[in-house]
Amino acid sequence: MYYSEPQMELLKVVRMLGCMESRQARMLLRLRYGLAPEAADSIVRQLKCDGKIKTVGNTGLILSADGREDPCVLRAVDIALSFAEQGNGPEILPCKRDYLLYAYYPDTSARLWIVHVPEGMEPEKSTFVDYAQNTAPAHSVYVMLLDSASQTAYIASSTPCILAYPDQNGRLQLKKWEGK
């Protein structure tokens, strides 16, 4: 079967990440290709009918053939989309094992690296982000995705980055971290 560039892009991202929400797929395809929400929904339906992806009932969740829902990945996609502008949508790329998501924004040559920080791992991940930022290419932004706001007290990163965490209502909050 022949797939268009937007279909291939969405399929690549879903396979790489394992899961994505329909609203995120719509936004990604709008930012990258200027597609209307209806066109993005059509792409999802076509890939589902071909057996390339699965959707979970009426939840809006899209899964790769072997994927499962991962709240951290879903939050990471939201973060990547929040840094995007029309025509400069993120190109989600394969990333190294220690990263949750890596996105590249072609028009600005910016790179976004998202690291998940489970509770109790704040010192180790802070050191990891410090080292990564010291060796990073220009225009790199690091995000530490925390499980809760209370973890911010234990972040020991000495270099600026962004902290992301869900508030009490589950909404993702982004906070600039200036370093200690």
Side-chain angles (χ1 to χ4, degrees), residues 62-131:
I62 301 169
L63 300 173
S64 64
D66 59 347
R68 58 183 167 73
E69 182 177 5
D70 183 341
C72 290
V73 169
L74 298 174
R75 287 183 180 130
V77 174
D78 280 337
I79 293 167
L81 292 172
S82 74
F83 283 88
E85 298 171 354
Q86 184 63 39
N88 193 29
E91 187 176 332
I92 310 292
L93 299 168
C95 58
K96 298 174 188 166
R97 180 180 59 85
D98 294 320
Y99 296 97
L100 192 56
L101 186 140
Y102 168 55
Y104 176 71
Y105 301 85
D107 287 358
T108 58
S109 298
R111 293 165 172 81
L112 180 70
W113 306 83
I114 301 176
V115 178
H116 178 231
V117 182
E119 290 198 37
M121 297 291 293
E122 297 87 355
E124 292 88 352
K125 295 295 183 170
S126 293
T127 302
F128 173 78
V129 168
D130 285 343
Y131 174 76

